[in-house]
Amino acid sequence: MNMSRVVAISVATMLSQFTQAQEITGKLHGLIEATATKTSDDLAWLRQGWGVARFDADSDVFNVSRAALTGRMDFSSAWSAHAVAQYVPEPDHKLGFTEAYIHYQPLARGYQFSSKIGGFYPRMSLENPAFGWSSPYTFNYSGLNAWLGEEVRTFGAEFELKRAARRFRSKHDVSVIGALFKGNDPAGTLLAWRGFVPHDRQSVFNERIAFARVKSLYAPQLRFQGQYVDPFSEVDGRFGYYIGAHWSYLKRHNLRVYWYDNNGDPSAVNYNTKQYAWDTKFWSLAWRSKVSTQTQFITQAMYGNTAMGPRRGVDNDFYSWYVMLSHTFNDYRISGRVEQSKVMDKDIWAFDPNASFTQGITLNVRKTLSETWQVGAEFQFIDYEAESRPMAYLPLDLNEQVWRVSAQYQF
């Protein structure tokens, strides 16, 4: 059984036990985003094409690019349940959960302990603190966080011990975090056969994500790998883990450091789903500073390795980073981001080139019209290279320019 389905059943069972004994209060919030965009001439990777933009010529110029619903139920002062459901139009009008978990946080006077169990994002990102793990700065996320939204999710339990500044009359907040999980074995597939690309689409539980038909996957050595990824499936039966630390100073400077290791067995394969367990591990370092009451500086960097197959037939190092500056005045926010990502092919399989290189610039302006309405415009330039493209009789390099105008309604 898919690991995300196991988590959903477990959470539902726990909820039914709580509801029999507790008085429940709840909150429900939603968001709808309508977008007009200049679509790409290249078929998008979500439709098994070689384009790196989210929308292509087969997409509607104007569409509902995202709809999200978040719910919270409080059973007591310590126990609560959280869920986020999202809809995206491409490629086949997908609707599903991106997060669903039980949260436990008892009252404390000193050190604060909390935990959660279910399916949720590791809290690595400082770029995505808004509604449903979205960004308040740009419509399209950095390639780094776009990949986290595609292939990385925790299906297990996370524990946190926090030293809150206000309880110790200190200027420093410090947290230590650890998690155990299953069901994230194929993470790394998209990095190998597509690379990092910036966009704002989040994968939902049990989703299958396609990518371009890479010629090397027809070779005998890779014949058991599908031309797609089931990113949240369990393949090898092992537990993965991550550990992290959060630090903030006077709520002005924030640091998050994480080590992630899915502990995958690269020789394990599910012949029915055509998915391997990838051995994927990486460091993530994120920093945010309030330069002034109106200006923020945000940066994040990631470095790691991912491998699959007997004797690590596919073996890639990778890194990704971005730097962003965001400024608010009156009802406007202006944000700019530069980024770079690279996948480095280390294995000896010459028939399967995995190296890719992505650079990008994103400029965004938003205006808040009211408590519920916001509008904005964004320009994005993406310079993308992949050594697998010439094998498909395509140029090594691809440049995409994406123009986007969006309106958001929250309730």
Side-chain angles (χ1 to χ4, degrees):
M1 186 180 294
N2 192 289
M3 194 61 197
S4 57
R5 188 173 302 171
V6 173
V7 169
I9 294 172
S10 301
V11 170
T13 302
M14 295 175 67
L15 283 175
S16 65
Q17 295 174 349
F18 278 118
T19 55
Q20 296 175 8
Q22 302 290 338
E23 181 179 349
I24 300 173
T25 60
K27 296 180 181 179
L28 198 64
H29 299 285
L31 176 147
I32 300 174
E33 181 178 278
T35 293
T37 182
K38 177 184 177 296
T39 57
S40 170
D41 294 331
D42 293 281
L43 188 66
W45 52 272
L46 279 163
R47 304 179 194 274
Q48 293 195 303
W50 289 91
V52 294
R54 177 180 170 184
F55 299 110
D56 58 28
D58 290 340
S59 306
D60 294 331
V61 174
F62 180 82
N63 57 48
V64 176
S65 56
R66 185 167 68 108
L69 197 65
T70 66
R72 172 177 176 151
M73 290 191 295
D74 292 292
F75 308 107
S76 68
S77 60
W79 291 94
S80 59
H82 304 255
V84 181
Q86 299 208 34
Y87 159 82
V88 287
E90 83 293 1
D92 54 0
H93 300 285
K94 185 71 65 176
L95 175 66
F97 286 101
T98 53
E99 294 189 279
Y101 59 91
I102 296 289
H103 187 229
Y104 173 66
Q105 183 172 305
L107 296 174
R109 293 182 178 179
Y111 286 88
Q112 175 70 64
F113 172 80
S114 64
S115 64
K116 52 187 179 183
I117 181 170
F120 47 88
Y121 283 103
R123 289 173 289 163
M124 301 176 185
S125 174
L126 288 169
E127 183 186 24
N128 296 67
F131 191 98
W133 202 78
S134 63
S135 170
Y137 311 107
T138 60
F139 298 134
N140 290 297
Y141 318 147
S142 64
L144 186 159
N145 283 308
W147 175 65
L148 293 181
E150 291 169 336
E151 286 201 302
V152 177
R153 211 68 50 88
T154 303
F155 294 98
E158 180 188 88
F159 306 93
E160 178 181 12
L161 185 63
K162 182 175 182 178
R163 182 185 183 276
R166 66 180 183 276
R167 292 182 181 146
F168 291 87
R169 297 181 180 180
S170 172
K171 299 178 181 179
H172 304 270
D173 281 293
V174 180
S175 295
V176 179
I177 297 161
L180 287 173
F181 60 86
K182 281 192 173 184
N184 212 173
D185 286 340
T189 305
L190 289 177
L191 295 187
W193 292 309
R194 188 209 59 195
F196 290 91
V197 294
H199 61 82
D200 65 331
R201 191 186 189 281
Q202 300 176 39
S203 303
V204 300
F205 295 174
N206 298 324
E207 183 171 10
R208 174 168 288 180
I209 306 169
F211 50 85
R213 293 191 175 277
V214 181
K215 184 178 179 181
S216 59
L217 296 192
Y218 294 100
Q221 296 92 326
L222 292 170
R223 66 188 183 279
F224 299 123
Q225 170 65 48
Q227 300 270 0
Y228 53 81
V229 57
D230 296 336
F232 310 136
S233 59
E234 178 60 37
V235 179
D236 60 9
R238 295 182 177 183
F239 280 95
Y241 73 95
Y242 61 79
I243 54 175
H246 295 186
W247 169 82
S248 69
Y249 175 74
L250 293 176
K251 305 298 182 182
R252 291 182 54 194
H253 306 287
N254 296 270
L255 174 69
R256 295 185 181 182
V257 181
Y258 277 82
W259 168 252
Y260 171 98
D261 186 350
N262 73 348
N263 192 33
D265 176 2
S267 64
V269 58
N270 185 320
Y271 297 104
N272 293 321
T273 63
K274 294 188 175 182
Q275 297 292 286
Y276 276 85
W278 291 66
D279 182 15
T280 300
K281 55 194 68 176
F282 60 85
W283 284 99
S284 174
L285 175 67
W287 175 268
R288 179 175 60 203
S289 285
K290 292 183 179 180
V291 181
S292 68
T293 56
Q294 296 176 290
T295 306
Q296 294 187 64
F297 170 82
I298 304 168
T299 185
Q300 187 173 355
M302 174 186 290
Y303 180 80
N305 176 267
T306 184
M308 61 83 77
R311 297 179 295 278
R312 303 173 74 89
V314 178
D315 190 355
N316 302 311
D317 287 340
F318 61 87
Y319 74 75
S320 183
W321 61 262
Y322 70 86
V323 175
M324 179 163 57
L325 198 64
S326 183
H327 180 74
T328 59
F329 63 97
N330 298 330
D331 296 323
Y332 292 89
R333 177 188 289 276
I334 298 177
S335 303
R337 183 184 67 229
V338 295
E339 60 182 291
Q340 186 181 100
S341 305
K342 189 172 186 179
V343 177
M344 295 155 282
D345 193 339
K346 295 175 55 182
D347 58 69
I348 61 173
W349 283 358
F351 69 89
D352 179 43
N354 304 131
S356 62
F357 183 64
T358 311
Q359 299 182 93
I361 299 174
T362 305
L363 301 173
N364 180 286
V365 58
R366 299 190 184 196
K367 179 176 174 58
T368 301
L369 303 178
S370 66
E371 292 184 358
T372 56
W373 282 99
Q374 185 181 89
V375 295
E378 182 169 289
F379 169 75
Q380 186 177 51
F381 174 79
I382 307 170
D383 180 26
Y384 171 77
E385 297 179 4
E387 291 189 1
S388 56
R389 286 176 57 84
M391 296 184 67
Y393 307 104
L394 296 169
L396 175 69
D397 184 75
L398 171 66
N399 293 326
E400 294 272 20
Q401 297 184 37
V402 181
W403 292 90
R404 177 168 170 173
V405 177
S406 292
Q408 292 183 356
Y409 175 72
Q410 292 194 40
F411 58 90

